[in-house]
Each structure stands twice: as structure tokens, then as C-alpha cells.
Amino acid sequence: MSEIETADELQRREFEEALEVKSLRRIISAYLNYPEAAEEDVKRWERSLTKLPPHHKALLSHLPSKFQKLRWCITENSYFIFEMLKMFEPPLDIRENQHLDDVSGSHHFSRSRNLCLCESTSTSGGVDCHCLAEPISKETCNGKYPAPCNKEQEVDDCKSLPDQDTLYASACCNGKVSSSPPEWLDPSLQLHVPLVDVDKVRCIIRNIVRDWANEGQKERDQCYRPILEELERLFPNRSNENPPACLVPGAGLGRLALEISCLGFASQGNEFSYYMMICSSFILNHTQAAGEWTIFPWIHSNCNSVSDNDQLRPVSVPDIHPASAGITEGFSMCGGDFVEVYSDPSQAGVWDAVVTCFFLDTAHNIVEYIEIISKVLKDGGVWINLGALLYHFADMYSPEDEMSIDLSLEDVKRVALHYGFIFEKESTIETTYTTNLRSMMQNRYYAAFWTMRKKTRRLCS
């Protein structure tokens, strides 16, 4: 019986790894398909222009030039994406064809995998982030916004290339020198993915602005500053020898987790999405200077633009050099499903603080999230939350019938009280999320902001 069980376990592990390989290849393919999908958008806009009557088209004679500039911006974004992918180290060998046609998967880590970017050195949740302290060198120039001698000709040269070749050619089109790509980026491994996957890449580009650009400072002040100020108030006597441990689930691109580390906490960010982890790893571990890269995050929509210059404006990232930010020993980013990773018994009572920012509504079961937050906190530990309740799976219709427990804020508070939390502070904060500051449309959240403390259990005498 034991041999049968071992064989079953091996088969299950192989299936999970094949599922994760397929998921990861699909995500990488989404990144690689970005230039082709963006080019299709430009072509669609061009086709619309050709349908105008001549006297209307004459009023818009500047648009062909704008479309060429858009292509050049797409090339710049593609270069950033490809350099980012080259620095990524897949946790599995994705070159192998492992019966991938027989499995289907999401765009995240499998539930069984806990991938930490840095080597663990402690059983109390802290890890040393050696790679952040000593970023590796790379054979690229600094990625500053260039001024080609003949921009339109260079864009035309890139325009004629297929999608994968466009990524390879981005460097030569902009006078940059790029190191050769790893084997797993071979075009033969690229998959054709639906446009919704490429939309997630565009979302990542907007998230880069929120977390790692001067332009995102306003949103960070709205969302991150209240959390940071609350941590400083609650932990006034921090020491480098024994820093308080703070967990940041749903860390995204890592800025909040890094800011918490810089305050003097042993901070660990947790993220489920490979889209996010690939990008956060690149920014945290491989950037060499502030403003090293230039992206064009707002080029993908013509709606609500005040001017073409607003839509085409460059954004320099990162706004700080992460490795020089003054992190506290123990900073790390951990990849994996929050429930799977932190429901492990080794995580019980480990953390002095848990910070959730626009995270709770990512749950299939928000009750389970709150239960785990309570379990991982030490007695007397604090939970600081800021965010809305735009449940990610609420309107998802699929054959799998995804579970989504969509509670009101009142019910969320009631569940928190059940799991031993006491409210210490509560307010509402008005904020945006990955918003284009110069857009004519500004969506705002009235986010719940609270500090709760886990009750200290009384010991029987």
C-alpha cells in the first residue's frame, strides 16, 4: 500500500510541476506577445483613420506621426520587458515538453510551491536578502530616454519584424547593447496566448508606475504612508539586533514591503502572481541606479487623454535604487499562495505585524484569509489593513465555478472579532489605484483603514 501511495504522490507532484511549467510558459509568452498585441492596436487605429472622408482626415493629419511615435514607445517597453525576462531564473526547467497539452492552469504559482527569492536563515520568518545587498551587473546601457537621429525610420525597421524578433531588435533600434537571452526564451517555446493575458502585462506596466516611479508618489502617500506611520507609532523602540517581523501578503511589486524594511522591520512580502514576481525580482535585485529604465505606461489607450504628449510621456523607473534604500536584514519576497504557505504550522505565532494593502478582496474565501492572519500573528500582534472590497472572483463565470465569498465590510469586521481581534483604530481613506494622474477619468476608492490587535491568550494557572 505504501508503494502505491508513493507512486501516487510522485504522479501528483509531476502533474503539479507540469501544470506550473505550462502556467509559467503562458505568462512568459504573454510578456513576449506584448509588442505584437500593441502593434495590432496601432494598426486598428490606423484602419479607423483610413475610413474617414478626406475632409475629416485632413483635420487629423498629425495622427500618422503619432502612430509612429507610439510604435517607438512600444519598442522601448518591449526592450524593458525582454531585459527583465532575461534576468528571471525559472524555478523549474521550462524547456522540457512535459505533456503540457493535457493540463490546464492558472497564471500563478501552484498551491504546493513556496519560492523565496532569497535564502532563508531563520525559523522565525526572517531571511537574508544577499541578492539585494549585492545586485549583479548586466551588459546593458542605462536605458535612458534616447533621441534617435531618425526616429520614424528606426520605428519602421522595427515595425516589419515579427513579435519575438521585435524584442530581440529593440536594443539595436535604440542603440543599446544587450546580452544574449537564456535558452528558455527560445522563440520555439513561445505560446500563442489570449489578449486577456497581454492585458495583464499592461497592468503590470501601470503597477510599475504606482510602486516605482515619482509619478506614483501621490498614490503611495495615500496608501502606503498611513500604514508606515502606523507601524512607526506601534513599534517605537525598534532595534537592528532584533527587528520586529512584519508580513506583507499581496506585496505586488514589492515597494511597500521594502519601505517597511527601511523602517527597521524584518519584512517579508508574499505574492502569488508570477506576473508580479518576475517584475518585482527584476526591480529589487537587478536595477543598478535610480531612473535606470524608461517606460511608456499610458500608450495603450486613446481614451480620456488631454493631449497626445500626456499619452506619450515617458516615466523613469525606479525612483530609488532598492539596494541603496537602507533595508533591514531579513527583507525578502516569498512567492506562493498565501493560504498554502502561511497555513503551515511553522508560521503560527511568528509575526509581530501583518500589513494588508488592497489584498483582502483577492481571496476566494476571505474568512480563511482572516483566520490565517490571526494564526500567524503573535499574541498581541497587530494587523494593519487598507483597501477596498472589489472581490476578484465575484463576477468570474467559468466551467470551474470559482468560489467567491463576497462579504460586506460589516461582515468582515465581525469575522475578525470572531478570530480574536480587537479594533484599535479605524478610518476611511480616499485613494486611487494605478491611476493616470493626467487622465480625464479618475476612479477613487473610499478604502477601509484599520489597526486591529490580536488578543493575548490567558494562561490557566
Side-chain angles (χ1 to χ4, degrees), residues 132 212 254-262 284 320 322 325 327 331:
L132 228 172
W212 295 105
R255 182 60 177 266
L256 178 58
L258 180 133
E259 295 283 359
I260 291 172
S261 174
C262 293
L284 289 170
I320 62 171
I327 62 171
F331 174 64

Side-chain angles (χ1 to χ4, degrees), residues 55-338:
H55 62 290
H56 290 174
K57 192 183 301 184
L59 295 173
L60 305 174
S61 59
H62 67 288
L63 286 184
S65 175
K66 173 190 173 180
F67 295 151
Q68 294 298 78
K69 292 175 183 176
L70 282 170
R71 287 191 169 93
W72 187 78
C73 295
I74 291 167
T75 302
E76 284 290 286
N77 286 350
S78 301
Y79 176 70
F80 172 82
I81 287 170
F82 197 54
E83 292 301 301
M84 176 181 73
L85 292 176
K86 281 166 36 179
M87 292 298 177
F88 177 58
E89 297 181 4
L92 296 167
D93 187 355
I94 63 175
R95 295 172 300 174
E96 300 176 4
N97 296 317
Q98 307 180 36
H99 310 293
L100 298 180
D101 293 334
D102 299 328
V103 297
S104 61
S106 64
H107 305 162
H108 311 286
F109 293 92
S110 69
R111 291 179 61 85
S112 63
R113 184 170 296 279
N114 174 16
L115 173 67
C116 285
L117 298 184
C118 308
E119 177 186 1
S120 176
T121 60
S122 170
T123 58
S124 63
V127 301
D128 278 339
C129 197
H130 303 298
C131 51
L132 228 172
E134 298 178 9
I136 67 171
S137 61
K138 64 179 188 286
E139 298 174 0
T140 60
C141 63
N142 60 15
K144 295 291 184 181
Y145 183 78
C149 296
N150 189 342
K151 183 187 303 181
E152 292 189 4
Q153 180 59 47
E154 293 186 355
V155 172
D156 285 339
D157 291 341
C158 287
K159 176 183 173 183
S160 63
L161 294 166
D163 58 332
Q164 178 73 30
D165 291 337
T166 302
L167 280 167
Y168 284 111
S170 296
C172 69
C173 283
N174 291 316
K176 298 174 181 176
V177 178
S178 176
S179 56
S180 59
E183 290 183 14
W184 57 267
L185 277 179
D186 189 283
S188 64
L189 296 177
Q190 184 176 345
L191 307 174
H192 290 288
V193 297
L195 288 177
V196 66
D197 288 9
V198 184
D199 284 339
K200 294 175 183 177
V201 175
R202 294 166 176 159
C203 180
I204 292 295
I205 294 173
R206 295 194 300 272
N207 271 273
I208 295 173
V209 179
R210 172 180 167 85
D211 262 19
W212 295 105
N214 285 326
E215 193 169 309
Q217 187 64 54
K218 182 178 179 181
E219 275 192 6
R220 294 197 297 273
D221 286 345
Q222 292 169 347
C223 296
Y224 297 170
R225 180 176 289 178
I227 292 171
L228 298 171
E229 290 175 349
E230 189 68 356
L231 283 171
E232 285 197 288
R233 182 184 72 84
L234 293 166
F235 297 90
N237 301 314
R238 302 180 298 279
S239 68
N240 290 332
E241 292 74 23
N242 187 27
C246 182
L247 175 63
V248 188
L253 297 184
R255 182 60 177 266
L256 178 58
L258 180 133
E259 295 283 359
I260 291 172
S261 174
C262 293
L263 281 183
F265 290 79
S267 170
Q268 181 173 98
N270 164 242
E271 180 53 49
F272 186 35
S273 167
Y274 263 127
Y275 284 99
M276 291 284 190
M277 288 294 288
I278 290 171
C279 187
S280 66
S281 175
F282 180 66
I283 293 174
L284 289 170
N285 296 322
H286 301 296
T287 52
Q288 296 185 344
E292 182 176 359
W293 300 95
T294 298
I295 58 175
F296 297 82
W298 313 117
I299 62 173
H300 307 112
S301 173
N302 292 319
C303 298
N304 291 305
S305 291
V306 174
S307 70
D308 290 346
N309 285 338
D310 282 349
Q311 183 184 2
L312 295 166
R313 71 185 185 275
V315 175
S316 296
V317 296
D319 62 313
I320 62 171
H321 181 216
S324 304
I327 62 171
T328 302
E329 183 177 0
F331 174 64
S332 67
M333 290 286 287
C334 175
D337 176 71
F338 171 70

Side-chain angles (χ1 to χ4, degrees), residues 13 41 44 48 81 91 113 144 158 195 230 241 253 314 330 344 350 353 384 416 428 458 460:
R13 180 175 60 81
D41 285 341
R44 177 166 51 86
S48 296
I81 287 170
R113 184 170 296 279
K144 295 291 184 181
C158 287
L195 288 177
E230 189 68 356
E241 292 74 23
L253 297 184
D344 189 277
V350 165
I384 302 172
T428 299
R458 295 180 179 178
C460 297

